[in-house]
């Protein structure tokens, strides 16, 4: 979910929406890559790599308007966005070090999620600020796109891996954790250096190349993790509401997860190829001509 959502953000914003559009294509908005993640429900289930700062790319008009707002907000807005991106870079670096250290000491992935879950939940939930950034106008991204993107990652963390403990030792959890971590370190580094007006080419290159592998890996990890959760959800009735009840409403979380999984089928190819087009445009300067229907 996390990865697919970012791609959605790249598509929706001209490069920030396919959830991996968490678009990097346009000039990097000063704040807060593709993701997939992240990559939530139906259209939000696309994962993270190509999103614009704090959520996805925006149209040129939105870019100019946001730049004007940032100029009016001035030093305070730039300082906060720089702090935010540095903090998020540091947080995901801590996660990367903790995961590497755990595996080197234990030699197994079992128990890995439990050892890093508090840090993961904190920094992934902290990303809610990205919605606030859009609401107050210091980041040129759609509030809806960013909201979907962030909520899909939070969904994966809180409503899947945190709530269904028997699946925390699944190999698939390691897949999306690694994909998310490398993606987020690259993405937040990109925005931090952009805010400081000193973007190393390697960071730019990494942002538009790592997703080629990380996006499919992250999506596979998310799908396999949700699939592993299905038997537990069905047996326990987790988050489901059965009739009869005083609200006279029925909800089955099991079928909700099936719908979410199915949404990856149409979204993944569309978002992945969108990100490849963004990559050609940014790294190779290709002019993409859209054909009329």
């Amino acid at each position: 979910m996390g990865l697919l959502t970012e791609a959605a953000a790249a598509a929706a914003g001209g490069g920030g929406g396919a959830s991996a559009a968490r678009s990097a294509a346009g000039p990097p908005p000063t704040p807060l890559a593709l993701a997939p993640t992240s990559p939530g429900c139906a259209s939000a289930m696309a994962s993270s790599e190509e999103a614009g700062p704090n959520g996805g790319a925006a149209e040129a008009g939105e870019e100019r308007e946001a730049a004007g707002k940032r100029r009016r907000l001035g030093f305070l807005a730039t300082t906060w966005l720089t702090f935010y991106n540095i903090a998020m870079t540091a947080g995901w670096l801590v996660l990367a070090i903790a995961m590497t250290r755990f595996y080197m000491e234990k030699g197994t992935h079992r128990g890995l999620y439990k050892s890093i879950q508090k840090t993961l939940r904190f920094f992934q939930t902290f990303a809610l600020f990205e919605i606030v950034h859009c609401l107050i106008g210091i980041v040129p991204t759609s509030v809806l796109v960013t909201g979907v993107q962030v909520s899909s990652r939070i969904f994966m963390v809180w409503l899947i891996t945190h709530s269904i403990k028997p699946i925390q030792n699944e190999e698939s959890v390691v897949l999306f954790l690694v994909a998310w971590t490398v993606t987020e370190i690259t993405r937040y580094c990109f925005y931090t250096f952009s805010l400081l007006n000193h973007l190393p080419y390697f960071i730019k290159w990494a942002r538009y190349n790592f997703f080629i592998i990380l996006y499919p890996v992250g999506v596979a990890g998310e799908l396999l993790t949700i699939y592993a959760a299905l038997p537990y959800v069905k047996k326990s009735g987790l988050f489901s509401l059965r009739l009869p009840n005083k609200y006279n409403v029925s909800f089955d979380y099991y079928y909700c997860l099936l719908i979410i999984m199915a949404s990856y089928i149409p979204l993944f190819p569309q978002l992945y190829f969108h990100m490849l087009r963004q990559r050609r445009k940014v790294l190779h300067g290709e002019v993409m001509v859209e054909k009329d229907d």
Side-chain angles (χ1 to χ4, degrees):
M1 301 201 25
L3 288 181
L4 280 175
T5 357
E6 293 190 1
S19 175
R22 259 195 144 194
S23 163
T30 50
L32 156 161
L34 293 213
T37 210
S38 94
C41 301
S43 69
M45 298 301 299
S47 208
S48 164
E49 274 277 77
E50 166 106 343
N54 301 322
E59 300 296 337
E62 292 177 308
E63 292 276 1
R64 288 192 295 271
E65 182 182 352
K69 288 181 179 179
R70 281 196 297 274
R71 280 194 295 271
R72 290 193 295 273
L73 288 170
F75 178 76
L76 184 60
T78 302
T79 301
W80 163 251
L81 290 172
T82 302
F83 164 78
Y84 174 82
N85 285 286
I86 290 175
M88 294 299 276
T89 302
W92 286 96
L93 277 171
V94 167
L95 279 166
I97 293 170
M99 287 191 288
T100 302
R101 198 169 169 187
F102 180 91
Y103 190 80
M104 290 178 67
E105 291 178 354
K106 306 292 185 181
T108 177
H109 71 282
R110 300 186 67 82
L112 171 62
Y113 184 86
K114 185 177 180 180
S115 72
I116 56 95
Q117 60 181 337
K118 290 183 179 179
T119 307
L120 175 66
R121 292 200 303 265
F122 176 81
F123 282 100
Q124 191 56 72
T125 305
F126 195 62
L128 287 169
F129 273 108
E130 298 177 17
I131 300 175
V132 178
H133 296 161
C134 297
L135 283 170
I136 63 179
I138 61 175
V139 173
T141 306
S142 162
V143 176
L144 177 61
V145 168
T146 303
V148 165
Q149 170 189 321
V150 172
S151 62
S152 70
R153 282 285 195 89
I154 290 176
F155 170 87
M156 199 71 205
V157 169
W158 285 100
L159 300 183
I160 299 294
T161 45
H162 172 71
S163 299
I164 309 170
K165 290 180 172 50
I167 67 169
Q168 292 179 357
N169 288 324
E170 294 285 333
E171 289 86 349
S172 57
V173 172
V174 179
L175 287 181
F176 77 73
L177 281 179
V178 170
W180 286 11
T181 301
V182 178
T183 291
E184 295 299 69
I185 291 172
T186 305
R187 186 167 70 88
Y188 288 115
C189 277
F190 180 92
Y191 289 114
T192 298
F193 283 111
S194 296
L195 283 162
L196 298 174
N197 296 316
H198 185 71
L199 179 63
Y201 180 77
F202 173 73
I203 300 295
K204 179 180 179 181
W205 179 90
R207 179 179 163 149
Y208 287 98
N209 282 282
F210 285 2
F211 81 87
I212 296 174
I213 299 297
L214 294 176
Y215 189 8
V217 169
V219 168
E222 293 166 17
L223 281 172
L224 290 171
T225 300
I226 296 174
Y227 180 77
L230 290 175
Y232 300 101
V233 172
K234 189 171 186 177
K235 183 177 180 179
S236 66
L238 179 70
F239 300 140
S240 296
L241 188 60
R242 312 291 188 188
L243 289 172
N245 58 68
K246 63 179 181 180
Y247 304 107
N248 198 31
V249 173
S250 175
F251 173 76
D252 196 315
Y253 189 51
Y254 175 83
Y255 289 106
C256 176
L257 293 182
L258 289 177
I259 293 171
I260 288 173
M261 291 179 69
S263 71
Y264 279 83
I265 297 173
L267 283 174
F268 176 77
Q270 176 184 350
L271 301 179
Y272 191 66
F273 286 117
H274 169 81
M275 294 188 300
L276 288 174
R277 289 193 296 271
Q278 292 300 116
R279 175 181 179 273
R280 292 199 299 271
K281 180 164 44 167
V282 172
L283 295 184
H284 304 293
E286 293 186 19
V287 178
M288 312 308 292
V289 179
E290 298 292 338
K291 295 182 179 180
D292 293 334
D293 293 334

